[in-house]
Amino acid sequence: MSHGLPTRLTNRQAGIEPLSWTMLQYDPNSPDKPPRSDLIQKYHITRIGIFGLVIRDEAGPGSEIDILVDFSDGASLLDHSGLKIYLEKIFGEPVDVIPERAIRAELRTPILSDVVYI
């Protein structure tokens, strides 16, 4: 869907309020979110971060949130899908959960240089 603006404009330049990665950081006072340690234990996470459009301040309404996750050795496909469903419910936006082990070689450097761990 084109909005008629040159593609070189960022969302901010186009007057579109971007989905900022700071909106996605853990809020310990929120009644909707479990303590971070519970989340990490429940889904067998050793490290989690955000990368892509949200970090570059280019995301708009409906933009997918790219989440990079390092799962522990005991993690399963149920942990991966459960985390995705949970994050989509919390953020109200589509989420793509990428296991760090699954990053293709040619994308590893750009993704790891872009990620902000939370």
Side-chain angles (χ1 to χ4, degrees), residues 59-111:
S63 291
E64 190 170 72
I65 301 168
D66 296 312
I67 305 288
L68 184 65
V69 179
D70 189 12
F71 288 103
S72 66
D73 290 335
S76 70
L77 183 57
L78 292 176
D79 294 313
H80 182 274
S81 59
L83 179 63
K84 176 181 173 53
I85 291 166
Y86 173 77
L87 292 174
E88 286 180 342
K89 179 181 174 190
I90 292 297
F91 298 144
E93 299 286 344
V95 172
D96 193 9
V97 174
I98 309 293
E100 193 167 332
R101 296 176 191 156
I103 301 173
R104 294 190 332 236
E106 66 272 16
L107 299 176
R108 181 166 285 283
T109 299
I111 288 173

Side-chain angles (χ1 to χ4, degrees), residues 7-118:
T7 56
R8 68 178 180 274
L9 288 180
T10 66
N11 286 335
R12 192 173 307 282
Q13 291 168 325
I16 300 169
E17 183 60 34
L19 175 65
S20 170
W21 74 270
T22 56
M23 294 177 194
L24 306 179
Q25 291 190 5
Y26 174 70
D27 177 4
N29 299 318
S30 173
D32 297 332
K33 298 180 185 178
R36 188 168 185 230
S37 61
D38 290 351
L39 184 68
I40 288 171
Q41 289 176 356
K42 181 176 182 175
Y43 297 109
H44 300 98
I45 299 168
T46 57
R47 189 164 62 164
I48 186 168
I50 302 170
F51 69 98
L53 294 175
V54 172
I55 293 300
R56 293 191 303 271
D57 202 21
E58 298 171 357
S63 291
E64 190 170 72
I65 301 168
D66 296 312
I67 305 288
L68 184 65
V69 179
D70 189 12
F71 288 103
S72 66
D73 290 335
S76 70
L77 183 57
L78 292 176
D79 294 313
H80 182 274
S81 59
L83 179 63
K84 176 181 173 53
I85 291 166
Y86 173 77
L87 292 174
E88 286 180 342
K89 179 181 174 190
I90 292 297
F91 298 144
E93 299 286 344
V95 172
D96 193 9
V97 174
I98 309 293
E100 193 167 332
R101 296 176 191 156
I103 301 173
R104 294 190 332 236
E106 66 272 16
L107 299 176
R108 181 166 285 283
T109 299
I111 288 173
L112 293 180
S113 66
D114 200 27
V115 71
V116 174
Y117 290 99
I118 54 174

